[in-house]
Structures are given as C-alpha cells and as structure tokens.
Amino acid sequence: MWASDKNGPQHEPSGRRRRILRGLLYCTGDMAEFQKFMEKKPYLLQLVVWCLRGVARVILANNPASGALILGALLMTSPWVTLLGVLGLLTSTLTAIIIGQESKEVVGGLHGFNGMLVALLMGTFSSAGDWYWWLLLPACLAGATCTFLFSGLGPVLDRWDLPVSVFPFNTAILLYLCCTGPTNPYFPHHPSTPPGALQHSNATLNTLQVLQGVVLGVGQIYACGELWPSVLILAAVFLFSPLLCAHALLGSAAGTLAGLSVAVRSSCLYSGLSGFNGALGCMAVGGLFFTISWRTHLFSIACAFLSAYADIALSNLLGMMGVPACSWAATLTTTLMLLLTAQNLSAYRIPLGRVTTPENNLRTHSHWTGATTESTDV
Amino acid sequence: MWASDKNGPQHEPSGRRRRILRGLLYCTGDMAEFQKFMEKKPYLLQLVVWCLRGVARVILANNPASGALILGALLMTSPWVTLLGVLGLLTSTLTAIIIGQESKEVVGGLHGFNGMLVALLMGTFSSAGDWYWWLLLPACLAGATCTFLFSGLGPVLDRWDLPVSVFPFNTAILLYLCCTGPTNPYFPHHPSTPPGALQHSNATLNTLQVLQGVVLGVGQIYACGELWPSVLILAAVFLFSPLLCAHALLGSAAGTLAGLSVAVRSSCLYSGLSGFNGALGCMAVGGLFFTISWRTHLFSIACAFLSAYADIALSNLLGMMGVPACSWAATLTTTLMLLLTAQNLSAYRIPLGRVTTPENNLRTHSHWTGATTESTDV
Amino acid sequence: MWASDKNGPQHEPSGRRRRILRGLLYCTGDMAEFQKFMEKKPYLLQLVVWCLRGVARVILANNPASGALILGALLMTSPWVTLLGVLGLLTSTLTAIIIGQESKEVVGGLHGFNGMLVALLMGTFSSAGDWYWWLLLPACLAGATCTFLFSGLGPVLDRWDLPVSVFPFNTAILLYLCCTGPTNPYFPHHPSTPPGALQHSNATLNTLQVLQGVVLGVGQIYACGELWPSVLILAAVFLFSPLLCAHALLGSAAGTLAGLSVAVRSSCLYSGLSGFNGALGCMAVGGLFFTISWRTHLFSIACAFLSAYADIALSNLLGMMGVPACSWAATLTTTLMLLLTAQNLSAYRIPLGRVTTPENNLRTHSHWTGATTESTDV
C-alpha cells in the first residue's frame, strides 16, 4: 500500500497538508518516477542523483532522498570522513563510466557504494588525524579498485544469480589495511581489537548503553558511532521502506544478543559494532531479496544471528592480525542464504533483476512466482 | 559379488548357519532392500533410520547398521559427547525437513552427518568438562547452521558435479572455535597445538604406538582417540564395504608415513591425528567416487599422501591462531581429485548420482561408462 | 610486423648477415614453425622442447629458445637450484603424460612451469645449504602435485575462460612451506619477512640500487636476485615478444613505485621483490591476454599497480605467519582483470584459445573480434 497510493485513482482533497504528504510519498520507495523525470536533465545533475543513490545503496536502499539524508548524517559526525567518502564515491562512479560499465548499473548507483564505503573506512581507521590530505590519494585509488573488483566479480557471481554487494569494499579495505599497518610512516591506522579480547575489569553491563548500541548498530554500517546520525540513517531507510527499517533494528538487536551470548567486550556492544552485521543480514533476507512472509521473517532473524556469530568469529580471527572483519560476515552469510535451494525458502527468492522495495516485491510477487526457478537456473 | 548374493537365484540349504549368513548379508552394502522395507513404517522409526545413515555418512558409508555400530563405539568412548552428537544430528536433520530440503537427500542421511560431526567436535574441544549443559545450545545452533550451509553450497558445487561432503562441518566448527576461543567465560575450549610445534624431548618413536595410531586414525574421523571404539568403527565400515575398510587403513598408514617424513610431534602420530585426513582422502578416491582398478588404487594412495601433507600444512597455519584444521585438507583434496580431467583417471569417475558401494560401483561400471562425460559436462 | 616478416613474400639479398637475421627471426615469437619441424623428431628430443617451453611459460613466454636462455641464466645464479627446477619441471611434465592430460597442453609446456617454479622456490627458501640431496624428494612430490592441481583447477576456471596460470605453484609452495616451517629437522627454510616490517635504521634510499631493483624484479619471477641473469631473462622475453619485454620492465617499475609509496623495507626494493608481481600483472594485461592499444596499455599499468599493492598486503598478512606471498597477488589480479565485463576493456580481451604472441594477437585481432563474447559466454 505504501507505493500504490501514488498510482491509484483518488479524488483530490486540496490543501497544504495533502500536498506535503504527496511530496513525502514522492520521496519514498525507489523513486522510479523521479528517475524518469531526471532523464532529461543535464549530465552533472544526473551524476549527483546516481551518487546519492550510491550513498543509500550501502544500506540496501535505492533512493536518492535517503542518500541525501545519510550524507547529512555523516556530515554531522565528521566532515573530513564525509569528504573522503564522497571522493571515493565519485572516483568509483567515474571509473565505471570511463571503463564502460553498463549504464543501467551506473544510474542505479551500483558502482558508487563500494568506493564510498572503502573511503569512509579509510578515514575512520586512519590514525593520522583529520584533514591529513595525503589520504585523498589512497581513497581515490581504492575507489577505482572497487569498480574493477565489482566488474570482475560480477560474471562469477552472476552464474548463481547473486549480487556482488559489498565484496569489493571488503576486499579493498582489507588489502589497504594490510598494505599499510599501524606503524606505516605515511598511512598509519588504528589496529583492530578482536571482540573476544580479554577485558580488564569485569564490570556489569549498562542496559541503556546496550540498547543504544542496537541503534548505533545501524549507524555502524557507515562506520558512524554517534546516536543522532544513526537515527537519521534509520529515518533514511524508513523513507525507502519501513519494512526494511524494522528489519534493520531487529537485526541489530539480534546481533547484540549474539554478542551477549558469547561475552564479547562491552565496548563492542556499546558502540554497535556487534550489531551491524546482523542488521545487514536481516535486511537482505527480510524483504529485499526474499518476499516477506512469516517464514522469511523467521528466516531473516536466523540470518541475522548467523551473520552476527560469523562476524564475531571472523573478527577474532582477523583481529589476531590487527585487521577488522568489516562486513565480510554479513556479505558471506547473505550470499549463502541466496543460494539456498530448500523449497520452503527458495520459493520466496526474488530474481536479482526484479528486486525493488520490499513493499513492491510483496505486491508483484504473484506475477513472477512461476518464473523464479527458470531465471535462476539458466 | 558382495551384493549379488542377495539377488541371484539359489537353492536353499536349510539350517541356522545359512540364516545367520543371510541376516549378515542383509546388513551389508547400502541396505537398499531395508530402505524399501522401511517406507511403510511410522515416521519416527524412519527418522531413526535416516539419522543412523547420517551417522555412517561421516565415514562415507551409507548403511544404518554401520551407523548403529558407530554410535555404540562412540558411547563406549564418551556418553556426553555422543549425546551432543545425536543432538546435532537430530537438529540438522529436522532443520532440513522444516526448510524443505529434497526428501531423497534427507532419507539418505545427507543432512545429518555434518551436524553430528560439528556437535561431536564441540564436545571434544570443550574445556568446560562433561555434562556442561549450556553446550547443548550451541550444538543445536551449529547443527542447524550446517543444514543451511549444506543447502547453500549445494548449487555452487553442483555445477561441477561435486559433493558438498563435510564443507559445512568444517566451516561451522571453525566459526564456532573462532567465536569462542580458549578463554571464553561461557564456552571455553582447548587450544589446538600445531603438529609442527617443537617437542621438548627428542625421544625415539615407539613403533607399536605408531602402528596403533594407524588404527586410531580411522577413529579420529569421529574425534575418537581410543583403540577398541576405533576397531568397532572399522568394523562398521567393513559392513558397508570391505574395500572401503581396506582403503581406510591404507590411507591412515599413508598419513602416518607423511607425518613421519616431516617430523610431526609424536603425540600427533600416536593419537591418529596425522592419519585421519589420509584415511578420508584414500576412501573417497579408492572405490567410492572412482571405480576401483589398479590405476585408481595408486591414485587413492597419492590422494592419501596429498591429503595428509595438506593437513599438516593447514594445521600448522591454523594452529598459529589456535584453531584446528579438522578435515579441511581431505575435503579440499578430494574435491580437487574429483575435478581432474586427465583421461586416464577421469574415465573412472562415477557421476555423483550413481555412487553406491564400491562393490556395486564396480559391477555397474560398464553400464554407465559411456554416459559419464555427458552428465558431468552439463 | 615481427612475425609477418617470416611469411610475407620477399626478395632474397643473399649474404651471411641476412642468414643470421633469418636465424634470429626463426627463434622469435612462439616458434610455431619449429613446432611443426619437431613433430617428426624422436620422443625424447620433443620432451626437451616441451620442457624448454615450460621454462619460458613461467614468464608468460611460449618459446623454447627463450626457455634455453633462461635456463642458462638460472645456471649462472645457482646450479643446485637449477637442478631442482629441472627436476620439478620433468616430474610435473611426466606426471601429466602418465595421468593422460591433453597432449596439446603438454606440447605447449603448460604442465611444466608450475612444477619448475615450485622446485626453484623450494631450493631458494631452503636453509639446509646447497646440494642437500634429500630436497629432491619433496621437489619431485611438489612437481607432481602441481600437475594434479593444474588438472583439477582447469574445469573450474574454464567456466569463465580463465587460464590456470600459476595457481598450482602458489598453492603447492604455500603448503610445502607451511608443512615444514623454519625449524623443521628435515626440511628447514628461511622464514619470510613482511615488507612492512620496521627497519632498524632509517637511512636514505640509494637511487641506483632502486633502479637496479627494477631490472631484478623481472629476475625475481624466477627467484633470481642477480643482475646479469635478470638481464638475460629480459632478453629471453624480448626474443618471444619485445612488447612483452617492455611491459615487464614497466610493470616492475610500477611495482617499485608502489613499494616506495607505502614505505616498504629498502631491501625489498633493492632485491626486486616489490617489482615482480607488478611485472607479471603488467605483462599479462599488456599484450598477452588483451590486444594492445593505448587503452589496454593504461589498463596494464593500472593492473601492475594493483598487483603490487595486493602483493604488499598479502606479504604483510602471510608474513605474520612466516610464509611468503609468492605471486598470489599477480595471479589473482590478472584473473580479476580477465573477468572484467566493462565494454571499453573486455572488447580487447583475447579468448584463451587464441592467445599467441602480443604481436600476433594484434595482427589477428580483427578476425575474431566478433566471436569474443560467444566463446566466453557458453
């Protein structure tokens, strides 16, 4: 119903409130109408919209308004890191245009989000302080690398109708952090502490801070560890799809529970680091790549727990070498879930080419249900 | 000849000895007749048979009687660990039924053995002592995870007609051990010592103990380090296929030789830990996935050595991070061997859908020889 | 033009100079005429030619004369290591013949170069001194293993029309080094120092030595760290294709620049270790697997930088466990580049079956351009 309001025939109760509601509804979902409207606009303006979509793609949303909101949230946290992120976003999008990636993918922002994330993380991990201008160089390079990785991984994953998602980001940031290391004279960075590291004092947990960590878990998808920007990011997801927003919080909560169950460091719980992989896993399964139903809802919670536990394991493993696990866990778990052939779950799988908003997915499910197996089987 | 006795027309020399022999023969091979007989029985009874097949599947056998024997052997070693294993077995089988995996696979026990193994290993590695009831929780979770992994890896490996084998178990146990770590307050476990670690005293090897290690190598497939249970497990394999049993011992011996050649710790040799990957690799190639002949026999010995060396390498690598290599080496090596395209070996490859007992494989080889390349090529 | 001289109709200016030039031209390119000439010769002589092609294949050349030159260069450096290399070369080629690999591949030397490389590296890393005869055993074993790995990886990579390249070598040497370790009583080896390790003195760089390191970078592909042998190896590449030779130097320079940019140890720069992955990456993209043009030329430089950075990252990561990264970086990066679907680059991609010398690739590009997408898509 979220999207049908726009198209259905309806009598017009004139007035300002109505117009505001209309404007808001126009900004929801994947803004397909806006996409059509932009097609005739100048190239630079279009590029901006593609990039904004790229910003939102990080959190699985495909909506330029969400992207703008998120960009605002990041600016609130750290202007320097945001500048780096925008640079990475631009470099990877432009690289994609130059090497001739499919224009449909570029328009959808698919070639921006990896570059943005890697540059954001480079800024966050850097221990050289803000406005260390030399960092622009690796940020550009990493952004371009992400596009190459995206383009190269595409045909491999496409065999099983899988999305490339954030594999390029995870690979690029891991390579960058291994390349430089904490003591590098040019690009030093903070070493990563594994979540299972021993704590000095065994103080009791602060329930309020743990709850706050659940919200921060959504912000940590953008490496943002402050409360209000995280809330703003949640609002941006709500704009794209309320269902996805609910699953983001649910997944973050599941991740925090998983963290509690194996006694991770309390700072991990408080900062939301133990929640963001769960959030990503829960969102991907709960509505985006699977039609929502009570079955896929339960399935998305299972996926959130699995992502969270896998993240703790990988963080401990990679933490021994001083590098973070980023979102490897959620990416791998989601990829696994998309591969499932079990009838009771794969029946809800949405072919990659037809993925839109969870609300749209639900509406159009009946239309393509019969074609699912065919398109994934070829 | 092992299986044809049952079907061939023969005159009946009445008497008790004849009937006992008949009963024994009925329990050999993959017990396909028993499978048909069970189809009309109550659901719970069928579930038990599926699970027993799952128990035997760990050691590449597909026979409920072998499963029962092995369960007995495990009970002799440690009732607590066996309880965990059965729990993992049940959880993963039930998860498979719930999420709607193919019933043919469930009936064959394919969805039980990974869950069982992971729960067995969790019990073995746990340093919290026996009857630590909290361990039931992660055992259930890991069992369910194995089914998801099995279902997800299936379509990927299926492209090359490869079995999923114990990839899910290896992934799940690695994640669990990394997740918790030796000092975890809730689920502590024994750290793993790499086989190449320096020994304190350079005492001479005890030949008898090394020979005993060869037999224990077969038991170590179930993480069982005692002599008589290992012999019982060998007997269970003999029940399924004498050929497979011979290859198990041969592979374990090859693994022990490989361990001797690079001077692993003597405790590795004595406990059978250096032999079990060789045993698994040798069994898979020698009779199960390849029709037996003198060529595949030599090939199976090569595979045993390769598995054993790969295991030492991986154990040293992962041991630096305190985690064991489990059966990664044998699984990867076997997968590689199944991919071989060299004419003199691939001609003996049995398409995955036609794998039965080595003895049956040998008998029916001529029937499908012509169809091999077609079915693996699609 | 390099190859067309041989075939084109031309008037004959009799004289010795002309004949020498002719002889030289006969030895250039992939010596397809020589291949035909050898077909009627005795088996052993043919085997020698196959092996010589295998020697040259390491550096992406396919020319027995280059192979002979390189063998000479290696003998200049260390006769013992060369002996090991030849042994590995022979074992892996013979294993391929025995297990029945395609004769076309054997003739092209495709089954020799991995075995040779792994044996060369085993000799170089060994800390047991020269002429430690026990080393022949693992060298033979590793050579045979490489052939199995080559045969097994083939069908997987073939799905995306990718070459197996040096994946088998990298896997085998990693397993061997992990298997034995620096303190092994039978097969000890020098531990590997990560390039990002802290330096004791922060002395200024010697420009001349860095420049020499660029040339050594080409030699390091054969683990050869001396100047004149490296120059000879460069000459051998020049014999196969001057274009490839130029890209080798260019890539090595790019790798050295990459090393400078993240401040690797100066010994890495001087010895050419920071250059050889760049050289391999640059050669593969610049002319061999892509038709040369200014676009692919820029692309090859990008690939060189990416290979070099990936190598530093992997070396740091694996160096923590005391093992070297060998040529994993270049192999993975090249594989990624061959997967690219971006139109402006994939249009230049040469289907694997049609790869010859860069000069031939350029001439015949127009003939198959239309067929590219078809052959990689199936």
Side-chain angles (χ1 to χ4, degrees):
Chain A
M1 62 306 185
W2 191 253
S4 60
D5 286 357
K6 288 183 277 180
N7 308 322
Q10 48 202 180
H11 59 97
E12 296 276 311
S14 62
R16 190 185 290 169
R17 252 182 71 198
R18 179 76 205 147
R19 238 175 303 143
I20 291 173
L21 192 69
R22 251 176 166 245
L24 271 175
L25 281 178
Y26 184 77
C27 289
T28 57
D30 54 4
M31 292 182 73
E33 276 180 43
F34 180 68
Q35 192 63 45
K36 274 180 211 143
F37 167 76
M38 284 304 293
E39 268 166 23
K40 296 120 199 168
K41 290 281 171 294
Y43 194 78
L44 266 180
L45 216 66
Q46 284 195 47
L47 186 67
V48 171
V49 177
W50 302 342
C51 284
L52 286 179
R53 276 189 196 273
V55 174
R57 282 272 184 186
V58 172
I59 202 159
L60 306 174
N62 177 12
N63 179 322
S66 302
L69 255 179
I70 291 166
L71 219 54
L74 293 177
L75 267 173
M76 272 171 67
T77 325
S78 162
W80 162 241
V81 171
T82 312
L83 172 70
L84 277 174
V86 170
L87 190 75
L89 181 70
L90 278 171
T91 327
S92 62
T93 307
L94 289 175
T95 308
I97 295 169
I98 289 168
I99 66 172
Q101 288 292 120
E102 256 184 70
S103 66
K104 208 184 120 199
E105 288 182 353
V106 174
V107 169
L110 279 174
H111 289 292
F113 69 102
N114 278 292
M116 184 192 189
L117 257 182
V118 78
L120 278 180
L121 267 281
M122 280 162 95
T124 311
F125 276 107
S126 170
S127 61
D130 277 10
W131 312 107
Y132 177 68
W133 294 102
W134 284 108
L135 209 57
L136 297 184
L137 236 83
C140 283
L141 224 79
T145 303
C146 279
T147 301
F148 280 108
L149 282 164
F150 196 98
S151 179
L153 290 174
V156 178
L157 292 165
D158 199 50
R159 289 262 158 170
W160 294 276
D161 197 36
L162 294 170
V164 178
S165 64
V166 281
F167 278 117
F169 149 68
N170 281 310
T171 312
I173 192 71
L174 204 68
L175 286 180
Y176 169 74
L177 292 179
C178 286
C179 217
T180 55
T183 55
N184 192 276
Y186 302 156
F187 306 108
H189 60 76
H190 302 292
S192 168
T193 324
L198 279 179
Q199 290 179 280
H200 295 299
S201 68
N202 221 335
T204 50
L205 278 175
N206 183 329
T207 316
L208 207 72
Q209 278 196 287
V210 171
L211 284 177
Q212 184 184 310
V214 172
V215 180
L216 287 177
V218 180
Q220 284 290 4
I221 294 174
Y222 288 90
C224 155
E226 290 178 28
L227 187 60
W228 292 113
S230 297
V231 172
L232 215 59
I233 289 172
L234 259 177
V237 179
F238 189 87
L239 208 60
F240 173 65
S241 153
L243 210 56
L244 212 59
C245 178
H247 276 97
L249 273 178
L250 191 69
S252 187
T256 306
L257 267 177
L260 282 169
S261 75
V262 293
V264 302
R265 283 181 303 124
S266 51
S267 64
C268 258
L269 296 169
Y270 295 164
S271 66
L273 278 175
S274 60
F276 80 99
N277 269 286
L280 277 173
C282 196
M283 287 163 85
V285 170
L288 198 68
F289 293 121
F290 289 83
T291 312
I292 195 76
S293 75
W294 67 267
R295 268 184 190 163
T296 42
H297 183 66
L298 288 179
F299 183 33
S300 74
I301 296 171
C303 182
F305 273 103
L306 208 56
S307 297
Y309 282 119
D311 178 52
I312 298 169
L314 288 176
S315 293
N316 279 335
L317 199 68
L318 290 171
M320 278 186 235
M321 290 171 272
V323 278
C326 302
S327 55
W328 274 111
T331 316
L332 287 170
T333 310
T334 307
T335 303
L336 183 83
M337 293 306 175
L338 291 176
L339 279 168
L340 282 195
T341 47
Q343 286 165 6
N344 294 345
L345 298 175
S346 65
Y348 297 95
R349 168 82 199 273
I350 299 165
L352 211 57
R354 302 187 186 228
V355 166
T356 58
T357 65
E359 285 77 11
N360 271 338
N361 288 339
L362 198 58
R363 279 200 310 137
T364 55
H365 182 241
S366 52
H367 298 290
W368 53 261
T369 278
T372 313
T373 43
E374 287 163 45
S375 64
T376 51
D377 239 46
V378 176
Chain B
M1 64 304 189
W2 191 252
S4 60
D5 287 359
K6 289 182 276 181
N7 308 323
Q10 47 203 183
H11 59 98
E12 296 276 310
S14 62
R16 189 184 291 171
R17 250 182 74 197
R18 180 73 206 149
R19 240 175 301 145
I20 291 174
L21 193 67
R22 255 180 161 239
L24 270 175
L25 281 178
Y26 184 77
C27 289
T28 57
D30 52 6
M31 292 181 74
E33 274 179 45
F34 179 68
Q35 193 63 43
K36 273 179 213 143
F37 166 75
M38 283 304 295
E39 268 165 24
K40 296 123 201 165
K41 290 281 170 296
Y43 194 78
L44 265 181
L45 216 66
Q46 284 195 46
L47 186 67
V48 170
V49 177
W50 304 341
C51 284
L52 285 179
R53 277 190 195 271
V55 173
R57 281 273 185 188
V58 172
I59 203 159
L60 307 172
N62 178 11
N63 180 322
S66 301
L69 254 180
I70 291 166
L71 219 53
L74 293 177
L75 267 173
M76 273 170 66
T77 325
S78 162
W80 163 240
V81 170
T82 312
L83 172 70
L84 277 174
V86 170
L87 190 74
L89 181 70
L90 277 172
T91 328
S92 62
T93 306
L94 289 176
T95 308
I97 294 168
I98 289 167
I99 67 172
Q101 288 292 120
E102 257 182 69
S103 66
K104 210 184 118 199
E105 288 181 352
V106 175
V107 168
L110 279 174
H111 288 292
F113 69 101
N114 277 291
M116 183 191 189
L117 257 182
V118 79
L120 279 180
L121 267 281
M122 281 162 95
T124 311
F125 277 107
S126 170
S127 60
D130 276 11
W131 311 108
Y132 177 67
W133 294 102
W134 284 108
L135 209 57
L136 297 184
L137 235 84
C140 281
L141 224 80
T145 304
C146 279
T147 301
F148 280 108
L149 282 163
F150 196 98
S151 179
L153 290 174
V156 179
L157 292 165
D158 199 50
R159 288 261 159 171
W160 293 276
D161 197 35
L162 296 169
V164 178
S165 62
V166 280
F167 277 117
F169 148 67
N170 281 308
T171 312
I173 191 72
L174 205 67
L175 286 179
Y176 169 73
L177 292 180
C178 286
C179 218
T180 54
T183 56
N184 192 277
Y186 302 156
F187 305 108
H189 58 77
H190 302 293
S192 166
T193 323
L198 280 179
Q199 290 179 277
H200 296 298
S201 68
N202 222 334
T204 50
L205 278 174
N206 183 330
T207 317
L208 207 72
Q209 277 195 287
V210 171
L211 284 177
Q212 184 183 314
V214 171
V215 179
L216 286 178
V218 180
Q220 283 290 4
I221 294 174
Y222 288 91
C224 154
E226 289 177 29
L227 187 60
W228 292 112
S230 297
V231 172
L232 215 58
I233 291 172
L234 259 177
V237 180
F238 189 87
L239 208 59
F240 173 65
S241 153
L243 210 55
L244 213 59
C245 178
H247 276 98
L249 272 179
L250 190 69
S252 187
T256 306
L257 265 178
L260 281 169
S261 75
V262 293
V264 301
R265 282 180 303 124
S266 51
S267 65
C268 258
L269 296 169
Y270 295 164
S271 66
L273 278 176
S274 60
F276 81 99
N277 270 284
L280 277 174
C282 197
M283 287 162 86
V285 169
L288 197 68
F289 294 120
F290 288 83
T291 313
I292 196 75
S293 76
W294 67 267
R295 269 184 189 162
T296 43
H297 182 65
L298 287 179
F299 183 34
S300 75
I301 296 172
C303 182
F305 273 103
L306 209 56
S307 296
Y309 282 119
D311 178 51
I312 297 168
L314 288 176
S315 294
N316 278 335
L317 199 68
L318 289 171
M320 280 186 235
M321 290 171 273
V323 279
C326 303
S327 56
W328 274 111
T331 316
L332 287 171
T333 309
T334 307
T335 304
L336 183 83
M337 292 308 175
L338 290 177
L339 280 168
L340 282 195
T341 48
Q343 286 165 5
N344 294 344
L345 298 176
S346 65
Y348 298 95
R349 168 81 199 273
I350 299 164
L352 211 57
R354 302 187 185 228
V355 167
T356 57
T357 66
E359 285 76 13
N360 271 338
N361 288 338
L362 198 59
R363 278 201 312 137
T364 55
H365 182 240
S366 52
H367 298 292
W368 52 261
T369 279
T372 313
T373 43
E374 285 162 47
S375 64
T376 51
D377 238 48
V378 178
Chain C
M1 62 304 188
W2 192 252
S4 61
D5 287 357
K6 289 184 278 182
N7 309 323
Q10 47 202 183
H11 58 98
E12 297 276 310
S14 62
R16 188 184 292 168
R17 253 183 72 197
R18 180 73 205 149
R19 238 173 305 143
I20 291 173
L21 193 68
R22 252 178 163 241
L24 271 175
L25 281 178
Y26 184 76
C27 289
T28 58
D30 54 5
M31 293 181 73
E33 276 180 43
F34 180 68
Q35 192 63 45
K36 272 178 213 144
F37 167 75
M38 284 304 295
E39 267 165 25
K40 296 121 201 168
K41 292 281 171 293
Y43 194 78
L44 265 181
L45 217 66
Q46 284 194 47
L47 185 67
V48 170
V49 177
W50 303 342
C51 284
L52 286 179
R53 277 190 195 272
V55 174
R57 282 273 185 186
V58 171
I59 202 160
L60 307 174
N62 177 12
N63 179 324
S66 302
L69 256 179
I70 291 166
L71 219 53
L74 293 176
L75 267 173
M76 273 170 66
T77 324
S78 162
W80 162 242
V81 171
T82 312
L83 171 70
L84 277 174
V86 170
L87 190 75
L89 181 70
L90 277 171
T91 328
S92 62
T93 307
L94 289 175
T95 308
I97 294 169
I98 290 166
I99 66 172
Q101 288 293 120
E102 257 184 68
S103 67
K104 209 184 119 198
E105 287 182 352
V106 175
V107 169
L110 279 173
H111 288 294
F113 69 101
N114 277 292
M116 184 190 189
L117 257 182
V118 79
L120 279 180
L121 268 279
M122 281 162 95
T124 311
F125 276 107
S126 169
S127 61
D130 277 11
W131 312 107
Y132 177 68
W133 295 102
W134 285 108
L135 209 57
L136 297 183
L137 235 85
C140 282
L141 224 80
T145 304
C146 279
T147 301
F148 281 108
L149 282 164
F150 196 97
S151 179
L153 289 174
V156 178
L157 292 165
D158 200 48
R159 288 262 160 169
W160 294 275
D161 197 35
L162 294 170
V164 177
S165 64
V166 282
F167 278 117
F169 148 67
N170 281 308
T171 311
I173 191 72
L174 205 67
L175 286 180
Y176 169 73
L177 292 179
C178 286
C179 218
T180 54
T183 56
N184 192 276
Y186 302 157
F187 306 108
H189 59 76
H190 303 292
S192 167
T193 324
L198 279 179
Q199 290 179 280
H200 296 298
S201 68
N202 221 333
T204 50
L205 278 175
N206 184 330
T207 317
L208 207 72
Q209 276 195 289
V210 171
L211 285 177
Q212 184 183 312
V214 172
V215 180
L216 287 178
V218 180
Q220 283 290 4
I221 294 174
Y222 287 90
C224 154
E226 290 178 28
L227 187 59
W228 292 113
S230 297
V231 171
L232 215 60
I233 289 172
L234 259 176
V237 180
F238 189 87
L239 208 60
F240 174 65
S241 153
L243 211 55
L244 212 59
C245 178
H247 276 98
L249 273 178
L250 191 70
S252 186
T256 306
L257 266 177
L260 282 169
S261 76
V262 292
V264 301
R265 282 180 305 124
S266 50
S267 64
C268 259
L269 296 169
Y270 297 164
S271 66
L273 278 175
S274 59
F276 80 99
N277 269 284
L280 277 173
C282 196
M283 287 163 85
V285 170
L288 197 70
F289 293 121
F290 288 83
T291 313
I292 196 75
S293 75
W294 66 266
R295 269 184 188 163
T296 41
H297 182 65
L298 288 179
F299 182 34
S300 74
I301 296 172
C303 182
F305 273 103
L306 208 57
S307 296
Y309 282 118
D311 177 50
I312 298 169
L314 289 176
S315 294
N316 279 334
L317 200 67
L318 289 171
M320 279 187 235
M321 290 172 272
V323 278
C326 302
S327 55
W328 274 111
T331 315
L332 287 171
T333 309
T334 307
T335 304
L336 183 83
M337 292 307 174
L338 291 176
L339 279 168
L340 283 195
T341 48
Q343 285 165 5
N344 294 343
L345 298 175
S346 65
Y348 298 95
R349 168 81 199 274
I350 299 165
L352 211 57
R354 301 186 187 231
V355 167
T356 57
T357 66
E359 287 75 12
N360 271 338
N361 288 339
L362 198 57
R363 279 199 311 137
T364 54
H365 181 240
S366 52
H367 298 290
W368 52 263
T369 279
T372 313
T373 42
E374 287 163 46
S375 63
T376 50
D377 240 47
V378 177

